[in-house]
PDB file of all heavy atoms in Angstrom:
ATOM      1  N   PHE A   1     -13.154  -4.711   4.559  1.00  0.00           N
ATOM      2  CA  PHE A   1     -11.974  -3.936   4.171  1.00  0.00           C
ATOM      3  C   PHE A   1     -10.914  -4.048   5.252  1.00  0.00           C
ATOM      4  O   PHE A   1     -11.181  -4.464   6.374  1.00  0.00           O
ATOM      5  CB  PHE A   1     -12.352  -2.472   3.931  1.00  0.00           C
ATOM      6  CG  PHE A   1     -12.791  -1.754   5.177  1.00  0.00           C
ATOM      7  CD1 PHE A   1     -11.882  -1.015   5.937  1.00  0.00           C
ATOM      8  CD2 PHE A   1     -14.110  -1.825   5.612  1.00  0.00           C
ATOM      9  CE1 PHE A   1     -12.288  -0.371   7.093  1.00  0.00           C
ATOM     10  CE2 PHE A   1     -14.521  -1.191   6.772  1.00  0.00           C
ATOM     11  CZ  PHE A   1     -13.610  -0.456   7.515  1.00  0.00           C
ATOM     12  N   GLU A   2      -9.715  -3.658   4.863  1.00  0.00           N
ATOM     13  CA  GLU A   2      -8.624  -3.498   5.815  1.00  0.00           C
ATOM     14  C   GLU A   2      -8.094  -2.089   5.658  1.00  0.00           C
ATOM     15  O   GLU A   2      -8.252  -1.469   4.599  1.00  0.00           O
ATOM     16  CB  GLU A   2      -7.520  -4.535   5.571  1.00  0.00           C
ATOM     17  CG  GLU A   2      -6.829  -4.409   4.221  1.00  0.00           C
ATOM     18  CD  GLU A   2      -5.810  -5.506   3.949  1.00  0.00           C
ATOM     19  OE1 GLU A   2      -5.945  -6.613   4.496  1.00  0.00           O
ATOM     20  OE2 GLU A   2      -4.866  -5.225   3.184  1.00  0.00           O
ATOM     21  N   MET A   3      -7.480  -1.557   6.716  1.00  0.00           N
ATOM     22  CA  MET A   3      -6.967  -0.189   6.646  1.00  0.00           C
ATOM     23  C   MET A   3      -5.646  -0.134   7.407  1.00  0.00           C
ATOM     24  O   MET A   3      -5.551  -0.639   8.527  1.00  0.00           O
ATOM     25  CB  MET A   3      -7.994   0.780   7.245  1.00  0.00           C
ATOM     26  CG  MET A   3      -7.606   2.225   7.095  1.00  0.00           C
ATOM     27  SD  MET A   3      -8.971   3.428   7.266  1.00  0.00           S
ATOM     28  CE  MET A   3      -9.932   2.846   8.622  1.00  0.00           C
ATOM     29  N   THR A   4      -4.650   0.487   6.775  1.00  0.00           N
ATOM     30  CA  THR A   4      -3.345   0.586   7.411  1.00  0.00           C
ATOM     31  C   THR A   4      -2.552   1.757   6.829  1.00  0.00           C
ATOM     32  O   THR A   4      -2.950   2.369   5.832  1.00  0.00           O
ATOM     33  CB  THR A   4      -2.558  -0.738   7.259  1.00  0.00           C
ATOM     34  OG1 THR A   4      -1.408  -0.705   8.113  1.00  0.00           O
ATOM     35  CG2 THR A   4      -2.143  -0.997   5.818  1.00  0.00           C
ATOM     36  N   VAL A   5      -1.429   2.046   7.465  1.00  0.00           N
ATOM     37  CA  VAL A   5      -0.510   3.084   6.998  1.00  0.00           C
ATOM     38  C   VAL A   5       0.607   2.410   6.211  1.00  0.00           C
ATOM     39  O   VAL A   5       1.214   1.445   6.678  1.00  0.00           O
ATOM     40  CB  VAL A   5       0.083   3.883   8.180  1.00  0.00           C
ATOM     41  CG1 VAL A   5       1.151   4.859   7.703  1.00  0.00           C
ATOM     42  CG2 VAL A   5      -1.022   4.614   8.930  1.00  0.00           C
ATOM     43  N   VAL A   6       0.839   2.917   5.001  1.00  0.00           N
ATOM     44  CA  VAL A   6       1.907   2.431   4.134  1.00  0.00           C
ATOM     45  C   VAL A   6       2.517   3.661   3.473  1.00  0.00           C
ATOM     46  O   VAL A   6       1.861   4.292   2.650  1.00  0.00           O
ATOM     47  CB  VAL A   6       1.365   1.472   3.049  1.00  0.00           C
ATOM     48  CG1 VAL A   6       2.488   1.021   2.138  1.00  0.00           C
ATOM     49  CG2 VAL A   6       0.648   0.288   3.666  1.00  0.00           C
ATOM     50  N   SER A   7       3.727   4.000   3.821  1.00  0.00           N
ATOM     51  CA  SER A   7       4.358   5.189   3.252  1.00  0.00           C
ATOM     52  C   SER A   7       5.284   4.816   2.099  1.00  0.00           C
ATOM     53  O   SER A   7       6.183   3.987   2.261  1.00  0.00           O
ATOM     54  CB  SER A   7       5.161   5.925   4.337  1.00  0.00           C
ATOM     55  OG  SER A   7       5.908   6.979   3.753  1.00  0.00           O
ATOM     56  N   ALA A   8       5.059   5.444   0.959  1.00  0.00           N
ATOM     57  CA  ALA A   8       5.930   5.205  -0.195  1.00  0.00           C
ATOM     58  C   ALA A   8       7.348   5.693   0.058  1.00  0.00           C
ATOM     59  O   ALA A   8       8.305   5.118  -0.457  1.00  0.00           O
ATOM     60  CB  ALA A   8       5.360   5.893  -1.433  1.00  0.00           C
ATOM     61  N   HIS A   9       7.487   6.732   0.871  1.00  0.00           N
ATOM     62  CA  HIS A   9       8.796   7.323   1.103  1.00  0.00           C
ATOM     63  C   HIS A   9       9.500   6.800   2.353  1.00  0.00           C
ATOM     64  O   HIS A   9      10.709   6.613   2.352  1.00  0.00           O
ATOM     65  CB  HIS A   9       8.672   8.848   1.197  1.00  0.00           C
ATOM     66  CG  HIS A   9       8.130   9.451  -0.040  1.00  0.00           C
ATOM     67  ND1 HIS A   9       6.872  10.011  -0.108  1.00  0.00           N
ATOM     68  CD2 HIS A   9       8.648   9.558  -1.291  1.00  0.00           C
ATOM     69  CE1 HIS A   9       6.653  10.454  -1.330  1.00  0.00           C
ATOM     70  NE2 HIS A   9       7.701  10.184  -2.076  1.00  0.00           N
ATOM     71  N   ARG A  10       8.739   6.562   3.417  1.00  0.00           N
ATOM     72  CA  ARG A  10       9.353   6.143   4.678  1.00  0.00           C
ATOM     73  C   ARG A  10       9.425   4.628   4.850  1.00  0.00           C
ATOM     74  O   ARG A  10      10.278   4.125   5.576  1.00  0.00           O
ATOM     75  CB  ARG A  10       8.614   6.774   5.855  1.00  0.00           C
ATOM     76  CG  ARG A  10       8.787   8.295   5.892  1.00  0.00           C
ATOM     77  CD  ARG A  10       8.041   8.927   7.055  1.00  0.00           C
ATOM     78  NE  ARG A  10       6.594   8.853   6.885  1.00  0.00           N
ATOM     79  CZ  ARG A  10       5.850   9.761   6.261  1.00  0.00           C
ATOM     80  NH1 ARG A  10       6.430  10.816   5.723  1.00  0.00           N
ATOM     81  NH2 ARG A  10       4.550   9.622   6.162  1.00  0.00           N
ATOM     82  N   THR A  11       8.536   3.899   4.171  1.00  0.00           N
ATOM     83  CA  THR A  11       8.542   2.429   4.266  1.00  0.00           C
ATOM     84  C   THR A  11       8.346   1.807   2.885  1.00  0.00           C
ATOM     85  O   THR A  11       7.366   1.101   2.639  1.00  0.00           O
ATOM     86  CB  THR A  11       7.438   1.924   5.233  1.00  0.00           C
ATOM     87  OG1 THR A  11       6.161   2.354   4.738  1.00  0.00           O
ATOM     88  CG2 THR A  11       7.652   2.421   6.652  1.00  0.00           C
ATOM     89  N   PRO A  12       9.270   2.045   1.961  1.00  0.00           N
ATOM     90  CA  PRO A  12       9.075   1.532   0.601  1.00  0.00           C
ATOM     91  C   PRO A  12       8.992   0.006   0.538  1.00  0.00           C
ATOM     92  O   PRO A  12       8.251  -0.533  -0.281  1.00  0.00           O
ATOM     93  CB  PRO A  12      10.277   2.074  -0.172  1.00  0.00           C
ATOM     94  CG  PRO A  12      11.288   2.435   0.862  1.00  0.00           C
ATOM     95  CD  PRO A  12      10.514   2.804   2.091  1.00  0.00           C
ATOM     96  N   GLU A  13       9.717  -0.705   1.399  1.00  0.00           N
ATOM     97  CA  GLU A  13       9.647  -2.168   1.385  1.00  0.00           C
ATOM     98  C   GLU A  13       8.254  -2.636   1.806  1.00  0.00           C
ATOM     99  O   GLU A  13       7.696  -3.578   1.240  1.00  0.00           O
ATOM    100  CB  GLU A  13      10.707  -2.785   2.317  1.00  0.00           C
ATOM    101  CG  GLU A  13      12.138  -2.537   1.882  1.00  0.00           C
ATOM    102  CD  GLU A  13      12.705  -1.210   2.393  1.00  0.00           C
ATOM    103  OE1 GLU A  13      12.018  -0.490   3.166  1.00  0.00           O
ATOM    104  OE2 GLU A  13      13.829  -0.878   2.004  1.00  0.00           O
ATOM    105  N   ARG A  14       7.679  -1.962   2.814  1.00  0.00           N
ATOM    106  CA  ARG A  14       6.325  -2.301   3.270  1.00  0.00           C
ATOM    107  C   ARG A  14       5.319  -2.046   2.143  1.00  0.00           C
ATOM    108  O   ARG A  14       4.427  -2.847   1.903  1.00  0.00           O
ATOM    109  CB  ARG A  14       5.988  -1.485   4.506  1.00  0.00           C
ATOM    110  CG  ARG A  14       4.592  -1.680   5.049  1.00  0.00           C
ATOM    111  CD  ARG A  14       4.428  -0.892   6.374  1.00  0.00           C
ATOM    112  NE  ARG A  14       3.062  -0.739   6.775  1.00  0.00           N
ATOM    113  CZ  ARG A  14       2.307  -1.682   7.341  1.00  0.00           C
ATOM    114  NH1 ARG A  14       2.828  -2.877   7.576  1.00  0.00           N
ATOM    115  NH2 ARG A  14       1.053  -1.437   7.678  1.00  0.00           N
ATOM    116  N   MET A  15       5.489  -0.924   1.445  1.00  0.00           N
ATOM    117  CA  MET A  15       4.604  -0.595   0.334  1.00  0.00           C
ATOM    118  C   MET A  15       4.710  -1.654  -0.763  1.00  0.00           C
ATOM    119  O   MET A  15       3.701  -2.131  -1.287  1.00  0.00           O
ATOM    120  CB  MET A  15       4.961   0.773  -0.246  1.00  0.00           C
ATOM    121  CG  MET A  15       4.121   1.160  -1.451  1.00  0.00           C
ATOM    122  SD  MET A  15       4.946   2.318  -2.551  1.00  0.00           S
ATOM    123  CE  MET A  15       6.383   1.401  -3.060  1.00  0.00           C
ATOM    124  N   PHE A  16       5.914  -2.030  -1.088  1.00  0.00           N
ATOM    125  CA  PHE A  16       6.137  -3.018  -2.140  1.00  0.00           C
ATOM    126  C   PHE A  16       5.476  -4.344  -1.765  1.00  0.00           C
ATOM    127  O   PHE A  16       4.752  -4.937  -2.578  1.00  0.00           O
ATOM    128  CB  PHE A  16       7.640  -3.218  -2.383  1.00  0.00           C
ATOM    129  CG  PHE A  16       7.934  -4.085  -3.562  1.00  0.00           C
ATOM    130  CD1 PHE A  16       7.996  -3.551  -4.840  1.00  0.00           C
ATOM    131  CD2 PHE A  16       8.136  -5.444  -3.405  1.00  0.00           C
ATOM    132  CE1 PHE A  16       8.246  -4.360  -5.944  1.00  0.00           C
ATOM    133  CE2 PHE A  16       8.392  -6.265  -4.496  1.00  0.00           C
ATOM    134  CZ  PHE A  16       8.449  -5.720  -5.761  1.00  0.00           C
ATOM    135  N   GLU A  17       5.690  -4.810  -0.537  1.00  0.00           N
ATOM    136  CA  GLU A  17       5.116  -6.083  -0.096  1.00  0.00           C
ATOM    137  C   GLU A  17       3.594  -6.017  -0.049  1.00  0.00           C
ATOM    138  O   GLU A  17       2.909  -6.962  -0.453  1.00  0.00           O
ATOM    139  CB  GLU A  17       5.668  -6.479   1.273  1.00  0.00           C
ATOM    140  CG  GLU A  17       5.159  -7.810   1.777  1.00  0.00           C
ATOM    141  CD  GLU A  17       5.382  -8.961   0.797  1.00  0.00           C
ATOM    142  OE1 GLU A  17       6.413  -9.000   0.103  1.00  0.00           O
ATOM    143  OE2 GLU A  17       4.486  -9.823   0.711  1.00  0.00           O
ATOM    144  N   TYR A  18       3.051  -4.895   0.415  1.00  0.00           N
ATOM    145  CA  TYR A  18       1.596  -4.737   0.472  1.00  0.00           C
ATOM    146  C   TYR A  18       0.994  -4.852  -0.931  1.00  0.00           C
ATOM    147  O   TYR A  18       0.054  -5.609  -1.157  1.00  0.00           O
ATOM    148  CB  TYR A  18       1.218  -3.385   1.098  1.00  0.00           C
ATOM    149  CG  TYR A  18      -0.270  -3.242   1.285  1.00  0.00           C
ATOM    150  CD1 TYR A  18      -0.870  -3.636   2.472  1.00  0.00           C
ATOM    151  CD2 TYR A  18      -1.082  -2.766   0.268  1.00  0.00           C
ATOM    152  CE1 TYR A  18      -2.247  -3.551   2.646  1.00  0.00           C
ATOM    153  CE2 TYR A  18      -2.455  -2.675   0.425  1.00  0.00           C
ATOM    154  CZ  TYR A  18      -3.032  -3.069   1.611  1.00  0.00           C
ATOM    155  OH  TYR A  18      -4.395  -2.993   1.767  1.00  0.00           O
ATOM    156  N   ALA A  19       1.544  -4.098  -1.870  1.00  0.00           N
ATOM    157  CA  ALA A  19       1.012  -4.087  -3.238  1.00  0.00           C
ATOM    158  C   ALA A  19       1.214  -5.427  -3.933  1.00  0.00           C
ATOM    159  O   ALA A  19       0.320  -5.912  -4.634  1.00  0.00           O
ATOM    160  CB  ALA A  19       1.671  -2.973  -4.040  1.00  0.00           C
ATOM    161  N   LYS A  20       2.364  -6.031  -3.732  1.00  0.00           N
ATOM    162  CA  LYS A  20       2.678  -7.293  -4.401  1.00  0.00           C
ATOM    163  C   LYS A  20       1.792  -8.430  -3.896  1.00  0.00           C
ATOM    164  O   LYS A  20       1.397  -9.305  -4.668  1.00  0.00           O
ATOM    165  CB  LYS A  20       4.148  -7.637  -4.192  1.00  0.00           C
ATOM    166  CG  LYS A  20       4.643  -8.756  -5.065  1.00  0.00           C
ATOM    167  CD  LYS A  20       6.159  -8.745  -5.097  1.00  0.00           C
ATOM    168  CE  LYS A  20       6.726  -9.832  -5.952  1.00  0.00           C
ATOM    169  NZ  LYS A  20       6.435  -9.710  -7.358  1.00  0.00           N
ATOM    170  N   SER A  21       1.421  -8.415  -2.619  1.00  0.00           N
ATOM    171  CA  SER A  21       0.640  -9.505  -2.041  1.00  0.00           C
ATOM    172  C   SER A  21      -0.866  -9.251  -2.055  1.00  0.00           C
ATOM    173  O   SER A  21      -1.651 -10.142  -1.711  1.00  0.00           O
ATOM    174  CB  SER A  21       1.090  -9.749  -0.595  1.00  0.00           C
ATOM    175  OG  SER A  21       0.713  -8.657   0.237  1.00  0.00           O
ATOM    176  N   ALA A  22      -1.301  -8.072  -2.431  1.00  0.00           N
ATOM    177  CA  ALA A  22      -2.713  -7.685  -2.300  1.00  0.00           C
ATOM    178  C   ALA A  22      -3.658  -8.642  -3.031  1.00  0.00           C
ATOM    179  O   ALA A  22      -4.645  -9.105  -2.456  1.00  0.00           O
ATOM    180  CB  ALA A  22      -2.918  -6.257  -2.800  1.00  0.00           C
ATOM    181  N   ALA A  23      -3.403  -8.935  -4.275  1.00  0.00           N
ATOM    182  CA  ALA A  23      -4.297  -9.804  -5.053  1.00  0.00           C
ATOM    183  C   ALA A  23      -4.316 -11.215  -4.479  1.00  0.00           C
ATOM    184  O   ALA A  23      -5.383 -11.822  -4.346  1.00  0.00           O
ATOM    185  CB  ALA A  23      -3.883  -9.820  -6.521  1.00  0.00           C
ATOM    186  N   SER A  24      -3.171 -11.747  -4.107  1.00  0.00           N
ATOM    187  CA  SER A  24      -3.127 -13.113  -3.571  1.00  0.00           C
ATOM    188  C   SER A  24      -3.797 -13.203  -2.205  1.00  0.00           C
ATOM    189  O   SER A  24      -4.221 -14.284  -1.788  1.00  0.00           O
ATOM    190  CB  SER A  24      -1.681 -13.621  -3.495  1.00  0.00           C
ATOM    191  OG  SER A  24      -0.935 -12.877  -2.559  1.00  0.00           O
ATOM    192  N   ARG A  25      -3.921 -12.077  -1.512  1.00  0.00           N
ATOM    193  CA  ARG A  25      -4.628 -12.042  -0.226  1.00  0.00           C
ATOM    194  C   ARG A  25      -6.126 -11.841  -0.402  1.00  0.00           C
ATOM    195  O   ARG A  25      -6.865 -11.765   0.567  1.00  0.00           O
ATOM    196  CB  ARG A  25      -4.056 -10.939   0.669  1.00  0.00           C
ATOM    197  CG  ARG A  25      -2.642 -11.220   1.141  1.00  0.00           C
ATOM    198  CD  ARG A  25      -2.101 -10.209   2.129  1.00  0.00           C
ATOM    199  NE  ARG A  25      -1.979  -8.870   1.566  1.00  0.00           N
ATOM    200  CZ  ARG A  25      -2.749  -7.829   1.876  1.00  0.00           C
ATOM    201  NH1 ARG A  25      -3.728  -7.945   2.737  1.00  0.00           N
ATOM    202  NH2 ARG A  25      -2.550  -6.647   1.311  1.00  0.00           N
ATOM    203  N   GLY A  26      -6.597 -11.718  -1.659  1.00  0.00           N
ATOM    204  CA  GLY A  26      -8.022 -11.635  -1.932  1.00  0.00           C
ATOM    205  C   GLY A  26      -8.561 -10.232  -2.153  1.00  0.00           C
ATOM    206  O   GLY A  26      -9.750 -10.066  -2.404  1.00  0.00           O
ATOM    207  N   LEU A  27      -7.705  -9.235  -2.070  1.00  0.00           N
ATOM    208  CA  LEU A  27      -8.184  -7.876  -2.331  1.00  0.00           C
ATOM    209  C   LEU A  27      -8.594  -7.747  -3.792  1.00  0.00           C
ATOM    210  O   LEU A  27      -8.017  -8.381  -4.672  1.00  0.00           O
ATOM    211  CB  LEU A  27      -7.113  -6.840  -1.998  1.00  0.00           C
ATOM    212  CG  LEU A  27      -6.672  -6.734  -0.545  1.00  0.00           C
ATOM    213  CD1 LEU A  27      -5.691  -5.577  -0.382  1.00  0.00           C
ATOM    214  CD2 LEU A  27      -7.839  -6.564   0.399  1.00  0.00           C
ATOM    215  N   LYS A  28      -9.592  -6.895  -4.032  1.00  0.00           N
ATOM    216  CA  LYS A  28     -10.074  -6.639  -5.393  1.00  0.00           C
ATOM    217  C   LYS A  28      -9.805  -5.210  -5.829  1.00  0.00           C
ATOM    218  O   LYS A  28      -9.733  -4.922  -7.022  1.00  0.00           O
ATOM    219  CB  LYS A  28     -11.585  -6.905  -5.487  1.00  0.00           C
ATOM    220  CG  LYS A  28     -12.008  -8.284  -5.044  1.00  0.00           C
ATOM    221  CD  LYS A  28     -11.533  -9.329  -6.001  1.00  0.00           C
ATOM    222  CE  LYS A  28     -12.060 -10.693  -5.615  1.00  0.00           C
ATOM    223  NZ  LYS A  28     -11.067 -11.745  -5.783  1.00  0.00           N
ATOM    224  N   VAL A  29      -9.684  -4.294  -4.866  1.00  0.00           N
ATOM    225  CA  VAL A  29      -9.457  -2.870  -5.134  1.00  0.00           C
ATOM    226  C   VAL A  29      -8.607  -2.318  -3.998  1.00  0.00           C
ATOM    227  O   VAL A  29      -8.752  -2.730  -2.848  1.00  0.00           O
ATOM    228  CB  VAL A  29     -10.792  -2.077  -5.179  1.00  0.00           C
ATOM    229  CG1 VAL A  29     -10.550  -0.608  -5.485  1.00  0.00           C
ATOM    230  CG2 VAL A  29     -11.768  -2.673  -6.184  1.00  0.00           C
ATOM    231  N   ILE A  30      -7.751  -1.364  -4.329  1.00  0.00           N
ATOM    232  CA  ILE A  30      -6.966  -0.649  -3.316  1.00  0.00           C
ATOM    233  C   ILE A  30      -7.292   0.832  -3.416  1.00  0.00           C
ATOM    234  O   ILE A  30      -7.289   1.406  -4.515  1.00  0.00           O
ATOM    235  CB  ILE A  30      -5.452  -0.859  -3.512  1.00  0.00           C
ATOM    236  CG1 ILE A  30      -5.095  -2.342  -3.339  1.00  0.00           C
ATOM    237  CG2 ILE A  30      -4.657   0.005  -2.527  1.00  0.00           C
ATOM    238  CD1 ILE A  30      -3.656  -2.667  -3.679  1.00  0.00           C
ATOM    239  N   ILE A  31      -7.562   1.442  -2.280  1.00  0.00           N
ATOM    240  CA  ILE A  31      -7.717   2.889  -2.192  1.00  0.00           C
ATOM    241  C   ILE A  31      -6.490   3.403  -1.466  1.00  0.00           C
ATOM    242  O   ILE A  31      -6.187   2.955  -0.362  1.00  0.00           O
ATOM    243  CB  ILE A  31      -8.995   3.283  -1.436  1.00  0.00           C
ATOM    244  CG1 ILE A  31     -10.236   2.812  -2.192  1.00  0.00           C
ATOM    245  CG2 ILE A  31      -9.041   4.796  -1.219  1.00  0.00           C
ATOM    246  CD1 ILE A  31     -11.533   3.053  -1.447  1.00  0.00           C
ATOM    247  N   ALA A  32      -5.784   4.333  -2.099  1.00  0.00           N
ATOM    248  CA  ALA A  32      -4.551   4.865  -1.520  1.00  0.00           C
ATOM    249  C   ALA A  32      -4.666   6.376  -1.388  1.00  0.00           C
ATOM    250  O   ALA A  32      -4.810   7.083  -2.382  1.00  0.00           O
ATOM    251  CB  ALA A  32      -3.354   4.499  -2.399  1.00  0.00           C
ATOM    252  N   GLY A  33      -4.599   6.854  -0.165  1.00  0.00           N
ATOM    253  CA  GLY A  33      -4.643   8.284   0.095  1.00  0.00           C
ATOM    254  C   GLY A  33      -3.262   8.799   0.434  1.00  0.00           C
ATOM    255  O   GLY A  33      -2.516   8.147   1.171  1.00  0.00           O
ATOM    256  N   ALA A  34      -2.930   9.963  -0.109  1.00  0.00           N
ATOM    257  CA  ALA A  34      -1.613  10.528   0.162  1.00  0.00           C
ATOM    258  C   ALA A  34      -1.633  12.032  -0.054  1.00  0.00           C
ATOM    259  O   ALA A  34      -2.349  12.546  -0.901  1.00  0.00           O
ATOM    260  CB  ALA A  34      -0.561   9.885  -0.745  1.00  0.00           C
ATOM    261  N   GLY A  35      -0.829  12.717   0.736  1.00  0.00           N
ATOM    262  CA  GLY A  35      -0.699  14.158   0.609  1.00  0.00           C
ATOM    263  C   GLY A  35       0.699  14.535   0.153  1.00  0.00           C
ATOM    264  O   GLY A  35       1.563  13.679  -0.016  1.00  0.00           O
ATOM    265  N   GLY A  36       0.905  15.824  -0.045  1.00  0.00           N
ATOM    266  CA  GLY A  36       2.220  16.305  -0.473  1.00  0.00           C
ATOM    267  C   GLY A  36       2.582  15.746  -1.828  1.00  0.00           C
ATOM    268  O   GLY A  36       1.812  15.824  -2.788  1.00  0.00           O
ATOM    269  N   ALA A  37       3.763  15.122  -1.909  1.00  0.00           N
ATOM    270  CA  ALA A  37       4.237  14.555  -3.172  1.00  0.00           C
ATOM    271  C   ALA A  37       3.356  13.400  -3.645  1.00  0.00           C
ATOM    272  O   ALA A  37       3.301  13.111  -4.830  1.00  0.00           O
ATOM    273  CB  ALA A  37       5.680  14.085  -3.028  1.00  0.00           C
ATOM    274  N   ALA A  38       2.667  12.735  -2.727  1.00  0.00           N
ATOM    275  CA  ALA A  38       1.611  11.754  -3.020  1.00  0.00           C
ATOM    276  C   ALA A  38       2.020  10.670  -4.009  1.00  0.00           C
ATOM    277  O   ALA A  38       1.316  10.397  -4.972  1.00  0.00           O
ATOM    278  CB  ALA A  38       0.349  12.476  -3.487  1.00  0.00           C
ATOM    279  N   HIS A  39       3.121  10.008  -3.755  1.00  0.00           N
ATOM    280  CA  HIS A  39       3.567   8.936  -4.642  1.00  0.00           C
ATOM    281  C   HIS A  39       2.899   7.597  -4.369  1.00  0.00           C
ATOM    282  O   HIS A  39       2.965   6.696  -5.206  1.00  0.00           O
ATOM    283  CB  HIS A  39       5.090   8.757  -4.532  1.00  0.00           C
ATOM    284  CG  HIS A  39       5.849   9.882  -5.142  1.00  0.00           C
ATOM    285  ND1 HIS A  39       6.432  10.871  -4.401  1.00  0.00           N
ATOM    286  CD2 HIS A  39       6.096  10.176  -6.431  1.00  0.00           C
ATOM    287  CE1 HIS A  39       7.016  11.734  -5.208  1.00  0.00           C
ATOM    288  NE2 HIS A  39       6.823  11.337  -6.443  1.00  0.00           N
ATOM    289  N   LEU A  40       2.255   7.433  -3.220  1.00  0.00           N
ATOM    290  CA  LEU A  40       1.727   6.124  -2.826  1.00  0.00           C
ATOM    291  C   LEU A  40       0.774   5.498  -3.853  1.00  0.00           C
ATOM    292  O   LEU A  40       0.996   4.349  -4.259  1.00  0.00           O
ATOM    293  CB  LEU A  40       1.060   6.218  -1.444  1.00  0.00           C
ATOM    294  CG  LEU A  40       0.518   4.911  -0.873  1.00  0.00           C
ATOM    295  CD1 LEU A  40       1.638   3.896  -0.668  1.00  0.00           C
ATOM    296  CD2 LEU A  40      -0.202   5.190   0.443  1.00  0.00           C
ATOM    297  N   PRO A  41      -0.264   6.182  -4.315  1.00  0.00           N
ATOM    298  CA  PRO A  41      -1.172   5.522  -5.271  1.00  0.00           C
ATOM    299  C   PRO A  41      -0.475   5.050  -6.543  1.00  0.00           C
ATOM    300  O   PRO A  41      -0.694   3.920  -6.991  1.00  0.00           O
ATOM    301  CB  PRO A  41      -2.217   6.597  -5.572  1.00  0.00           C
ATOM    302  CG  PRO A  41      -2.177   7.505  -4.389  1.00  0.00           C
ATOM    303  CD  PRO A  41      -0.750   7.518  -3.944  1.00  0.00           C
ATOM    304  N   GLY A  42       0.346   5.885  -7.115  1.00  0.00           N
ATOM    305  CA  GLY A  42       1.026   5.527  -8.358  1.00  0.00           C
ATOM    306  C   GLY A  42       2.036   4.415  -8.188  1.00  0.00           C
ATOM    307  O   GLY A  42       2.130   3.519  -9.032  1.00  0.00           O
TER     308      GLY A  42
END
């Protein structure tokens, strides 16, 4: 596994690039944890 911080609100470009490249990088599943408004998983 890999683990990192990706904020939907503070780093939307990072979130977009992470999600867009995940499958091509070989990931099969993503676990996204978030508090408060918790937009990251969706």
Side-chain angles (χ1 to χ4, degrees):
F1 67 94
E2 63 184 27
M3 185 161 42
T4 192
V5 174
V6 178
S7 173
H9 300 110
R10 293 179 291 271
T11 60
E13 295 86 4
R14 177 175 165 77
M15 177 206 61
F16 187 85
E17 182 54 36
Y18 185 91
K20 192 163 180 66
S21 69
S24 66
R25 292 185 296 109
L27 296 185
K28 305 291 185 220
V29 181
I30 297 173
I31 296 175
H39 289 102
L40 183 62

